[in-house]
Amino acid sequence: HPGEFNAGLVDLAAAGTTITFKHPQNADPPSDISGFYEWSLNLVDWYAGDGIDGPSGGPTVTTAPSTAGINTTVTATTSEPLERLFLRVGVNQD
């Protein structure tokens, strides 16, 4: 809920081409929303974390969320080592 405080992203870790983090999730989310993950190299150009989308001829990032209870652990895997990577979580109303 945008009007309520939560812990946000926690347990951020990076090793090689793999980044993991956790975030809370509503225990009973509305049925008409879906979440997504995006990534960027520069905070201007954003790409879907689907392992396909990315800059022409450049890297890609695959995000794999796993939810247990109200916590989601996300593993983001890059197609090549990157100097920096920005990740964001979003929600769409269907």
Side-chain angles (χ1 to χ4, degrees):
H1 186 283
E4 296 176 12
F5 173 80
N6 65 47
L9 303 180
V10 296
D11 297 337
L12 179 65
T17 58
T18 302
I19 299 95
T20 58
F21 61 91
K22 292 181 183 179
H23 64 80
Q25 182 168 311
N26 186 326
D28 188 25
S31 62
D32 66 341
I33 64 168
S34 57
F36 63 89
Y37 301 93
E38 292 181 320
W39 67 277
S40 176
L41 298 173
N42 58 18
L43 293 174
V44 174
D45 303 304
W46 289 92
Y47 305 99
D50 58 7
I52 299 169
D53 199 16
S56 180
T60 60
V61 176
T62 302
T63 54
S66 174
T67 302
I70 61 168
N71 292 302
T72 298
T73 300
V74 180
T75 301
T77 305
T78 63
S79 62
E80 61 188 65
L82 300 174
E83 186 175 319
R84 71 178 59 94
L85 175 68
F86 301 96
L87 297 163
R88 70 181 177 186
V89 180
V91 177
N92 285 324
Q93 187 170 19
D94 302 327

